[in-house]
Amino acid sequence: MWDSLQQLSYWNWLAFGTLLLILEVFGAGGYLLWIGVAAACVGVLTYLMPGLPWAIQFILFGVLSILTAVLWWRRQRTAAKPSDQPGLNLRGSELLGRQFILHEAIHEGRGKIKAGDSLWLVSGPDLPVGSTIRVVGQDGVLLKVEACE
C-alpha cells in the first residue's frame, strides 16, 4: 500500500477530481464541487513539481478542500441580498389594501370574495353578500378583511 501511495501522479489527482465533479452533477448540492477543484489543483501542482511527496500532496488536498469550501461559503453569505420582489411566492399578498365585493356572505367569521378568476376564503365580521370589504391581512390562504364605509 505504501508503494502505491509513493507512486501517486498528477493523473491520479486529476481523475479523482473529475470523478468528484461528475458525482457533483448528480446532485451533491455543492459539497463535492470544491473538493473536486482542490483535487484538480493538487493534480496541477503535482504536474509542476513531480517529486512532491505523497504526504505533502494529501496535506495540500486537505488544506485546499477546506480553504475553497470556506471561501465559497463566505462569499455566498456576503452575496446574499434581499429580494426586489419580496411577495413573489406569497400568493395573495398583492390583494392587501384592495377593496372587493363579498361573493359569499361572511357568516360566523368566514366568507368568500372573488379576486380576478379566483375565490378566496376570508375572515372578518359577519357581513351580507354584496358588501364592500378591504383586505387588511393574510394568514396562509385566509384573507383577513374589514368592512368599508
Side-chain angles (χ1 to χ4, degrees):
M1 176 171 157
W2 295 107
D3 220 19
S4 62
L5 284 177
Q6 293 175 0
Q7 302 300 324
L8 280 177
S9 72
Y10 66 94
W11 285 114
N12 299 106
W13 287 107
L14 292 177
F16 182 55
T18 302
L19 176 67
L20 289 171
L21 293 174
I22 289 171
L23 290 174
E24 174 64 35
V25 169
F26 290 111
Y31 296 109
L32 298 178
L33 175 67
W34 300 109
I35 298 172
V37 168
C41 288
V42 172
V44 169
L45 287 173
T46 306
Y47 177 76
L48 296 174
M49 297 180 278
L52 201 61
W54 66 270
I56 301 296
Q57 292 177 27
F58 277 98
I59 290 170
L60 280 171
F61 173 65
V63 168
L64 286 174
S65 295
I66 292 169
L67 184 67
T68 55
V70 167
L71 288 176
W72 180 252
W73 178 75
R74 287 184 65 200
R75 185 202 174 278
Q76 288 292 90
R77 300 230 342 137
T78 58
K81 61 179 182 175
S83 174
D84 58 342
Q85 297 177 349
L88 181 63
N89 290 326
L90 297 174
R91 188 163 184 249
S93 63
E94 71 276 1
L95 303 177
L96 293 175
R98 291 183 49 195
Q99 293 183 1
F100 296 96
I101 305 293
L102 273 178
H103 186 70
E104 289 182 18
I106 298 178
H107 178 67
E108 295 179 4
R110 300 290 170 120
K112 291 185 181 176
I113 61 170
K114 187 167 181 108
D117 60 353
S118 301
L119 286 176
W120 286 83
L121 187 61
V122 297
S123 70
D126 289 351
L127 295 169
V129 174
S131 299
T132 304
I133 53 93
R134 177 182 302 109
V135 179
V136 293
Q138 180 180 8
D139 184 19
V141 296
L142 182 67
L143 297 175
K144 297 177 182 180
V145 298
E146 65 182 17
C148 288
E149 305 272 335

